[in-house]
Protein backbone atom coordinates (compact mmCIF):
# COMPACT_ATOMS: atom_id res chain seq x y z
CA UNK A 1 0.00 0.00 0.00
CA UNK A 2 1.28 3.43 -0.84
CA UNK A 3 0.21 6.96 -0.07
CA UNK A 4 -0.14 9.64 -2.73
CA UNK A 5 -0.14 13.28 -1.73
CA UNK A 6 -2.99 15.19 -3.35
CA UNK A 7 -5.04 18.28 -2.76
CA UNK A 8 -8.79 18.40 -3.34
CA UNK A 9 -10.23 21.83 -4.12
CA UNK A 10 -13.77 22.97 -4.75
CA UNK A 11 -14.38 25.95 -6.99
CA UNK A 12 -17.99 26.73 -7.83
CA UNK A 13 -19.49 23.45 -9.02
CA UNK A 14 -16.16 21.87 -9.87
CA UNK A 15 -14.08 19.56 -7.71
CA UNK A 16 -10.39 19.72 -8.62
CA UNK A 17 -7.82 17.14 -7.55
CA UNK A 18 -4.19 18.22 -7.76
CA UNK A 19 -1.40 15.67 -7.58
CA UNK A 20 2.07 15.04 -8.91
CA UNK A 21 2.26 14.47 -12.67
CA UNK A 22 3.63 10.94 -12.24
CA UNK A 23 0.35 9.87 -10.54
CA UNK A 24 -2.02 11.51 -13.04
CA UNK A 25 -2.66 8.31 -15.05
CA UNK A 26 -3.28 6.29 -11.90
CA UNK A 27 -5.70 8.89 -10.57
CA UNK A 28 -7.54 9.03 -13.90
CA UNK A 29 -7.91 5.24 -13.91
CA UNK A 30 -9.25 5.21 -10.34
CA UNK A 31 -11.78 7.96 -11.07
CA UNK A 32 -12.97 6.18 -14.23
CA UNK A 33 -13.43 2.96 -12.24
CA UNK A 34 -15.46 4.82 -9.63
CA UNK A 35 -17.69 6.34 -12.34
CA UNK A 36 -18.25 2.90 -13.92
CA UNK A 37 -19.04 1.22 -10.60
CA UNK A 38 -22.49 -0.31 -10.43
CA UNK A 39 -23.59 -1.57 -7.02
CA UNK A 40 -24.50 -5.24 -6.84
CA UNK A 41 -27.52 -4.57 -4.66
CA UNK A 42 -29.64 -1.88 -6.26
Amino acid sequence: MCAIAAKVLQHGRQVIVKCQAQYYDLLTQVLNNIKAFKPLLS
Side-chain angles (χ1 to χ4, degrees), residues 1-14:
M1 183 175 194
C2 67
I4 298 173
K7 184 183 267 190
V8 180
L9 306 170
Q10 185 174 3
H11 187 276
R13 294 184 178 179
Q14 292 182 331

Side-chain angles (χ1 to χ4, degrees), residues 5-30:
K7 184 183 267 190
V8 180
L9 306 170
Q10 185 174 3
H11 187 276
R13 294 184 178 179
Q14 292 182 331
V15 176
I16 301 166
V17 180
K18 292 187 174 186
C19 66
Q20 293 179 350
Q22 66 191 36
Y23 298 118
Y24 180 78
D25 291 334
L26 175 63
L27 180 62
T28 302
Q29 184 179 8
V30 169

